[in-house]
Structure formats: structure tokens, C-alpha cells
Amino acid sequence: MTAPPPPAAVPAPPPPPSRARGRHLTGPAAAALRWAGPALLGYIAVRLLGALVLMKWAHLQHHGLWPLLAAQWDSRWYLGIADHGYDRVLRPDAFDVNNLAFFPLYPVIVKAVAGVTPGSRASIGLIVAVVCSLIAAWGVFAVGDRLHGRRVGTVLAVLWGATPVALVQWMGYTESLFTALAAWSLYAVLTGRWLWAAALCLLAGLTRPTGLALAAAVSLPALLALRRRGRPPDDGGPPPPAASRLLAAALLAPLGWLGYVAWVGLRLHRPDGYFAVQKMWRNVWDGGAETLRSLRSVLGYQARPQLFLVLVSLVLLASVVLFLLSLAGRQPLPLLLFSGALLTIVLGSGGVYFPRARFLLPGFPLLLPLALALARTRRRTAALTLGGAALASAYLGAYMTLVYPGAP
């Protein structure tokens, strides 16, 4: 009597969806994109709503949509740099005119792409900003998904697209490019890809002055990981990264910001050249005194304050509350460092008040407490809340562009 054949191997069940976390940089690009698909579709829907509301409102006022998005305010400064380069002198009697206050990566990209494609540089600048906003939304989703799962990541990406000044994400500004670099740099830190994190941080430091906040979020955790490297992992996990990688990441991360500041000093033949330029834009550090004065004036003393300035004030106050909630929720240290440093830079500046809500736009980790709360509610409640935020963002974006007389 022959022995029965051994039973066929039972195939292992597919991994649960939660195991897809962290595959955004490691798995096939198509699979990662499909996983982020709902978040990106939700983000695109929110921003298309904002663009349609602006287009209709602009049409009623006999304005075109393209000039409003591609060639207004800071967009003109970046286009001027792409066309003619940077100034070589600093006029001590001329305020708000020196283009060395604007960092170089975005105009360099616009000039490079425009050199090999048809169309005006203004159109290219707008296309670059929109494409970068999609990459940024994907990165925002990736961070939320890594920490709390796909639903939280999706809500977080949609919330970022529905912030009060989110229209700027689809303008010829640097916020989308900077957020894309920041989100993927933070994701790389969370997944232990230190050199990727540092390289993206270096590019972010060439994009906006607040690249210094991201440098803190990469360099300090790298140094802490280097200090802990000699200790065995508590949970028997993978060995820590090589000391050389951690040290290289810590040193590389701030080089973009430091490099541009040093280059401005050389160009103007004075070590404090960059800070002198910022002073001529009335942007100096005062520890938050100007912020407090403006908050008191707008919310306490003005009988009929402008709606947009009220909005900026509420965004600043809400951001502080959200940061405290992030601390209470024990967000990962890199996210807390980025949000905290960004808040410190924006609130502690003595510069102009009206663009500060825009300056905080890359601080997407501040939205994580809201995303977690919404993800725990019923789908209908979450959908209604996100829909309301999208409608409010669409109205406020159009108001900011067509009614408020200053720059966003």
C-alpha cells in the first residue's frame, strides 16, 4: 500500500492593506500610484472646484483665469529671475525691489523646461507648479499612510488641498514645489532613507527660506540616530544605518539653504548680504512682536477688518492649536521639528503680515490631528466635512485673488 501524496501547499493569503504602507518609494511606481489614487483624485477634485469658482468669478469681473494664476505678484518676480537673472547690487534706499530675496530652484526649473518646450515661461511656471502640487499631494498621502493607514493619508491629502489659501498651490509660486520636496524628504526620514531625505532637503533649501525648518527635521534626527547607533534595537528590528550615512545626511541637509545664503553674500561682497536683502524687504526677526501686534489689531481693535486679514489671523491661531495637538498626539520627531521650526520662523518674523497663511501652507503635518479625527468618523460625516472645506477654500481663494487688493 503506497503512502498518500503530500498535500499541496496552501498559498499564503494576500497581505492586508495596511502592509502597503511604506511602499511608495520601494514598490513599482504603478502600484504605488494606484494605492495613492483615491487621495490624488480627491485632491484634484478639490483644486478643480477652486479653479472653476475662480474662473467664474473672474469672468464676471472681466478677468482671465490664466493671468491670475500665472503672472501675478510673486510669480512675476520668479519669471523675472528666469528671464534676466539676479541683481548684482543692493540699493540701501530702495525697499521691496531686490530679487535676491527669492530662492533660485523654481526659476531655474522654469527656465530649463521652457528652453526645451514651447510656450511662454509664465505658462511653464504654472504647469510646473500644478505638477509639483500633485507630487506634493502624493507625498502628503504617503506620510499619512505610513503613520496611520490609507484612509488617514487620503483625508490628509484632501485636507491639504482644501486649506483656506490652497489656491496658491496652482499658482506660479514655490509652495507646491517646496511642499513636494518637504513631504517626500520627511517620508524618507520616516522610512530610514537618510541620503534621499538629505538630498531632497538640500533642494528644498534652494526653494524657500523656510528650507531651514526642513533641515532641522532631517539633521537633528540623523544626529540622534547616530548617537543611538551603538545601542542594540529594542524590538529586534533591523540594524541601524551606517554611521557614515547618518553623518552625511546631517551635514548635507542644510547645504541648500546655507549655499544660497553664502552665494548672496559673495554676490553682494558682504557676509550679511542675504540678511541685508531681507531687511530691505522689511523682513527681520523680532521674536513675534509684529505678529502679536497685527493679531491684536485685526481681531481686537479694527472695527471692520478686511476678511482676508481675519482669515490669516485665524489660520495662525489654529496652527498653534494644531501644533499643540500634534505634540499631545506624539507625532514622530521629524514632523514635530518641521512644524515647530516652520511656525517659529513664520510667527517670529517681523515682516509683512498678509502672506503668513501662505507661508504655513507646506506645514501639512499640522493637519494630521484633523485627518485622524475625520478618518474615525462615519464616511458621510467625513465626506460632508471635506466638501464644506473644499467649498470654503474655493470661495476664499477667489476672494483672496479678486477682492483683496494685496498679494496672497
Side-chain angles (χ1 to χ4, degrees):
M1 185 175 180
T2 59
V10 178
S18 61
R19 291 191 187 177
R21 300 180 197 176
R23 68 182 179 185
H24 303 274
L25 292 181
T26 58
L33 186 58
R34 283 195 299 270
W35 184 252
L40 295 178
L41 289 175
Y43 171 79
I44 291 170
V46 169
R47 293 305 339 128
L48 282 177
L49 174 64
L52 289 173
V53 170
L54 175 62
M55 182 173 63
K56 180 62 176 178
W57 197 334
H59 177 73
L60 294 175
Q61 294 191 6
H62 308 289
H63 293 296
L65 179 65
W66 179 90
L68 293 172
L69 297 178
Q72 291 288 329
W73 304 109
D74 285 10
S75 301
R76 291 183 293 178
W77 284 99
Y78 290 114
L79 293 174
I81 294 169
D83 286 335
H84 309 295
Y86 279 105
D87 296 335
R88 294 185 175 274
V89 296
L90 178 64
R91 293 170 51 192
D93 58 340
F95 288 89
D96 306 335
V97 296
N98 194 287
N99 63 9
L100 287 165
F102 297 87
F103 278 55
L105 185 59
Y106 176 71
V108 165
I109 293 174
V110 171
K111 183 175 182 179
V113 175
V116 295
T117 57
S120 67
R121 285 182 176 171
S123 298
I124 297 300
L126 182 57
I127 293 171
V128 167
V130 172
V131 171
C132 287
S133 77
L134 300 178
I135 299 172
W138 190 357
V140 170
F141 164 79
V143 171
D145 176 44
R146 171 76 183 179
L147 295 176
H148 302 289
R150 191 184 194 187
R151 187 174 184 185
V152 172
T154 300
V155 173
L156 183 63
V158 176
L159 272 177
W160 182 70
T163 53
V165 295
L167 177 67
V168 173
Q169 297 166 8
W170 281 15
M171 295 177 68
Y173 278 48
T174 58
E175 273 70 22
S176 290
L177 173 60
F178 182 77
T179 307
L181 294 168
W184 285 109
S185 179
L186 291 171
Y187 179 82
V189 171
L190 295 175
T191 54
R193 296 169 174 83
W194 291 100
L195 293 182
W196 272 107
L200 293 170
C201 183
L202 185 152
L203 294 175
L206 293 171
T207 306
R208 291 196 59 77
T210 45
L212 193 60
L214 185 61
V218 175
S219 292
L220 292 180
L223 292 175
L224 290 174
L226 182 63
R227 182 180 179 183
R228 295 193 301 265
R229 189 177 175 277
R231 306 173 190 173
D234 297 333
D235 56 357
S244 59
R245 286 177 175 267
L246 293 171
L247 183 59
L251 295 176
L252 182 65
L255 288 186
W257 188 89
L258 291 173
Y260 181 68
V261 170
W263 180 82
V264 173
L266 291 173
R267 191 170 183 85
L268 296 179
H269 306 290
R270 52 185 295 180
D272 66 338
Y274 172 76
F275 303 100
V277 170
Q278 290 293 342
K279 187 175 182 180
M280 297 307 296
W281 280 86
R282 302 176 178 85
N283 190 15
V284 295
W285 175 263
D286 68 357
E290 178 61 30
T291 302
L292 291 175
R293 281 195 296 268
S294 298
L295 279 171
R296 286 199 302 266
S297 175
V298 172
L299 299 181
Y301 298 131
Q302 295 182 18
R304 299 182 64 182
Q306 292 180 312
L307 174 62
F308 182 70
L309 296 183
V310 172
L311 170 67
V312 171
S313 302
L314 294 178
V315 167
L316 296 182
L317 294 175
S319 297
V320 173
V321 173
L322 289 172
F323 181 70
L324 295 176
L325 292 175
S326 301
L327 283 172
R330 297 184 178 181
Q331 277 186 18
L333 179 63
L335 302 188
L336 291 175
L337 286 172
F338 177 60
S339 300
L342 184 65
L343 273 172
T344 301
I345 292 170
V346 174
L347 298 181
S349 169
V352 290
Y353 186 69
F354 56 83
R356 299 194 188 202
R358 170 169 66 88
F359 293 165
L360 287 174
L361 193 57
F364 69 91
L366 294 170
L367 300 173
L368 258 176
L370 294 178
L372 281 166
L374 280 176
R376 291 168 182 158
T377 63
R378 296 179 178 179
R379 289 185 180 273
R380 182 179 180 183
T381 302
L384 289 174
T385 303
L386 291 173
L391 289 171
S393 176
Y395 171 80
L396 292 170
Y399 180 92
M400 170 183 74
T401 308
L402 295 170
V403 179
Y404 177 67

